[in-house]
């Protein structure tokens, strides 16, 4: 995996997407300096559609609740998040439509979804809109529409990653994504296709590098108190592969080996540390694979959970399970994770789901949800509710 290329792309992509999203906001008369009438029927001489008017009002309300820069950054990341998830799925053949979103079969920046638009069957696809864009030779408009429909179609099988798009995030969809040098073209050109294949940890590396500039700004001790919304960027670091393997091999792996003398798992754990005596002290407490609980309380983008999944898969297989059934059991019974960053929770959700999909090609249609969650802010909990859980 070319981490230099990944870092170069992710750092640049953040700046580029924030800029593009901000330009879209300005198109609707919304800038850092302020905005016009939230209920306006037209802006900058253009009449708004009913949908645009509703979305613009929602965007202004969000900016009032937070602030302009925070909202622009959040929306930029939402699109980055979806773009890299779609890229991973198209490269690995995981899209239910089997139609690539950004490239053709030769991995050229020629979106197959454009060429196949009139032949596709996606939930929510309005063929009148497709033909209208085709007749007007509006490839940019068609591409935007197809990406949004594809994301919404995926919400039924991956709701933790692809929430339905019908609000101001659609209003701020970046323009000119099909041009040379766009954030999509650079993603394809700078990051080799091989780095996306069966390597879901690339999602975590992309996120770490995406927030690296903000991380460096926040941890500067002369910047003052860290805001609560900046805590994730200040504290997150991607755990390198050998550290992940060492921790999991000597926790989950050791737990199973010590309770199963006949297990061959030790031979498959490269970082398993044998006692100095050279012998393992076995514990008479053997259980079923389903009895194992692996919990990561600060899971980040799910790197540790994904490797734990592989170790659990070996445990299930040596107990007679096929990969498909084992994948289902692992998601249902074994893996749990929490994080304070909702972005990371989405990435961990996606990573675990993609790992399960790599073992079971029908997994995404089974309706199984992983036990990975973000810790939501609790300031809105009322005094009465609080008293029920907290003693005097």
């Amino acid at each position: 995996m070319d981490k230099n290329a990944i870092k170069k792309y992710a750092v640049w992509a953040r700046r580029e997407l924030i800029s593009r999203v901000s330009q879209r906001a300005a198109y609707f008369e919304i800038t850092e300096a302020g905005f016009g009438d939230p209920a306006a029927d037209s802006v900058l001489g253009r009449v708004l559609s009913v949908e645009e008017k509703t979305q613009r009002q929602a965007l202004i309300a969000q900016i009032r609740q937070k602030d302009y820069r925070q909202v622009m950054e959040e929306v930029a990341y939402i699109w980055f998040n979806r773009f890299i998830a779609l890229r991973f799925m198209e490269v690995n053949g995981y899209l239910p439509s089997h139609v690539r979103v950004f490239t053709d079969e030769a991995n050229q920046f020629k979106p197959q979804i454009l060429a196949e638009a009139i032949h596709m069957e996606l939930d929510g696809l309005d063929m009148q809109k497709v033909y209208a864009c085709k007749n007007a030779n509006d490839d940019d408009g068609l591409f935007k529409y197809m990406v949004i429909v594809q994301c919404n179609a995926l919400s039924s099988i991956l709701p933790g990653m692809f929430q339905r798009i019908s609000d101001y995030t659609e209003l701020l969809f970046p323009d000119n994504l099909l041009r040379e040098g766009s954030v999509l073209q650079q993603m394809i050109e700078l990051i080799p296709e091989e780095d996306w294949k069966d390597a879901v940890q690339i999602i975590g590396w992309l996120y770490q590098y995406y927030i690296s500039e903000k991380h460096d700004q926040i941890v500067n001790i002369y910047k003052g108190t860290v805001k609560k919304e900046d805590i994730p960027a200040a504290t997150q670091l991607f755990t390198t592969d050998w550290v992940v393997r060492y921790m999991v091999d000597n926790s989950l792996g050791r737990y199973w080996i010590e309770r199963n003398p006949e297990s061959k798992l030790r031979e498959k754990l490269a970082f398993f540390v044998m006692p100095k005596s050279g012998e393992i002290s076995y514990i008479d407490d053997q259980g079923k694979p389903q009895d194992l609980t692996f919990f990561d309380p600060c899971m980040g983008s799910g790197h540790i959970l994904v490797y734990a999944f592989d170790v659990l898969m070996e445990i299930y297989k040596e107990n007679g399970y096929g990969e498909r059934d084992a994948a289902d059991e692992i998601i249902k019974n074994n893996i749990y994770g929490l994080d304070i960053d909702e972005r990371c929770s989405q990435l961990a959700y996606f990573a675990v789901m993609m790992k399960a999909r790599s073992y079971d090609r029908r997994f995404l249609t089974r309706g199984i949800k992983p036990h990975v969650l973000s810790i939501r802010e609790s300031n809105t909990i009322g005094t009465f509710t609080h008293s029920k859980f907290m003693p005097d």
Side-chain angles (χ1 to χ4, degrees):
M1 186 177 294
D2 188 347
K3 294 189 178 72
N4 288 329
I6 293 170
K7 182 176 183 178
K8 179 181 178 181
Y9 170 71
V11 170
W12 171 82
R14 177 175 175 268
R15 298 180 199 154
E16 175 73 3
L17 282 170
I18 291 174
S19 174
R20 293 288 171 182
V21 164
S22 300
Q23 289 175 30
R24 283 291 296 169
Y27 184 76
F28 292 95
E29 203 178 2
I30 299 172
T31 67
E32 190 169 8
F35 42 80
D37 180 8
D41 294 317
S42 63
V43 294
L44 303 176
R46 297 187 312 278
V47 176
L48 300 174
S49 68
V50 174
E51 186 176 37
E52 287 175 335
K53 183 177 177 180
T54 301
Q55 292 171 343
R56 182 174 181 271
Q57 288 174 336
L59 175 57
I60 291 173
Q62 193 74 357
I63 291 172
R64 282 173 167 167
Q65 180 183 340
K66 300 176 180 178
D67 64 61
Y68 173 85
R69 290 192 179 185
Q70 184 179 343
V71 173
M72 294 303 108
E73 184 165 329
E74 286 178 357
V75 176
Y77 176 71
I78 286 171
W79 285 116
F80 178 78
N81 198 11
R82 290 192 171 119
F83 292 158
I84 62 176
L86 288 170
R87 177 60 173 158
F88 181 86
M89 293 184 76
E90 75 167 12
V91 168
N92 289 285
Y94 292 169
L95 290 170
S97 66
H98 304 293
V99 175
R100 288 188 167 218
V101 179
F102 305 132
T103 58
D104 59 15
E105 292 293 342
N107 197 44
Q108 299 299 306
F109 184 45
K110 297 176 181 178
Q112 191 179 16
I113 202 169
L114 284 180
E116 298 293 330
I118 60 176
H119 305 297
M120 290 188 67
E121 294 183 3
L122 286 174
D123 289 342
L125 185 61
D126 185 343
M127 292 308 299
Q128 289 186 340
K129 291 184 178 180
V130 172
Y131 284 119
C133 289
K134 285 283 190 181
N135 292 335
N137 292 318
D138 183 7
D139 283 347
D140 285 318
L142 179 58
F143 183 69
K144 172 183 176 178
Y145 177 65
M146 295 301 293
V147 169
I148 290 172
V149 172
Q150 175 66 92
C151 288
N152 286 340
L154 288 171
S155 69
S156 63
I157 59 173
L158 289 167
M161 180 58 119
F162 294 99
Q163 298 86 357
R164 291 193 66 82
I165 305 166
S166 60
D167 58 6
Y168 59 87
T169 58
E170 179 179 347
L171 194 74
L172 300 183
F173 188 92
D175 285 330
N176 301 315
L177 287 177
L178 297 177
R179 67 175 176 83
E180 185 75 17
S182 74
V183 71
L184 297 181
Q185 189 268 343
Q186 290 293 292
M187 176 174 63
I188 293 157
E189 292 295 324
L190 292 178
I191 304 177
E193 186 178 27
E194 294 72 29
D195 287 355
W196 299 91
K197 291 183 176 178
D198 295 322
V200 74
Q201 62 266 32
I202 191 176
I203 302 294
W205 281 113
L206 279 162
Y207 180 58
Q208 166 147 333
Y209 291 137
Y210 183 89
I211 63 172
S212 60
E213 281 192 328
K214 187 172 184 179
H215 168 85
D216 293 342
Q217 293 168 2
I218 294 168
V219 298
N220 185 335
I221 61 174
Y222 300 106
K223 291 292 183 181
T225 304
V226 176
K227 298 178 182 178
K228 66 178 180 181
E229 62 265 21
D230 292 334
I231 291 174
T235 58
Q236 285 166 0
L237 289 173
F238 192 81
T239 310
T240 54
D241 191 61
W242 76 267
V243 174
V244 169
R245 291 174 179 268
Y246 177 85
M247 290 193 298
V248 176
D249 287 359
N250 293 283
S251 55
L252 173 62
R254 181 176 296 279
Y255 186 91
W256 182 259
I257 290 168
E258 288 177 344
R259 288 159 177 77
N260 294 271
E262 304 301 320
S263 175
K264 303 297 182 183
L265 181 63
R266 184 182 61 177
E267 301 170 7
K268 300 177 181 179
L269 304 181
F271 289 89
F272 182 81
V273 178
M274 285 289 293
K276 288 184 179 180
S277 64
E279 295 183 1
I280 297 173
S281 298
Y282 292 104
I283 301 170
D284 186 17
D285 186 28
Q286 185 175 359
K288 300 179 297 181
Q290 289 88 342
D291 297 332
L292 292 170
T293 298
F294 187 89
F295 174 53
D296 186 347
C298 46
M299 64 184 171
S301 56
H303 191 189
I304 294 174
L305 295 181
V306 166
Y307 179 62
F309 194 111
D310 287 330
V311 174
L312 286 161
M313 178 59 68
E314 294 300 327
I315 291 172
Y316 272 93
K317 288 198 295 186
E318 75 174 19
N319 278 266
Y321 285 81
E323 290 185 347
R324 187 191 72 181
D325 291 335
D328 293 359
E329 293 294 329
I330 291 168
I331 296 294
K332 290 177 181 176
N333 301 300
N334 303 117
I335 288 181
Y336 296 79
L338 285 175
D339 203 274
I340 62 171
D341 184 3
E342 190 167 359
R343 296 178 180 181
C344 274
S345 178
Q346 291 176 344
L347 296 178
Y349 165 90
F350 182 73
V352 171
M353 292 292 279
M354 292 301 101
K355 175 57 70 170
R357 169 61 180 79
S358 71
Y359 287 109
D360 175 8
R361 63 188 181 89
R362 293 191 176 90
F363 180 80
L364 299 181
T365 65
R366 299 190 190 284
I368 302 173
K369 298 180 180 180
H371 305 289
V372 293
L373 298 168
S374 61
I375 302 172
R376 300 296 180 90
E377 184 176 304
S378 57
N379 290 347
T380 57
I381 295 179
T383 303
F384 175 78
T385 304
H386 184 269
S387 66
K388 291 293 184 181
F389 295 96
M390 298 296 291
D392 294 333

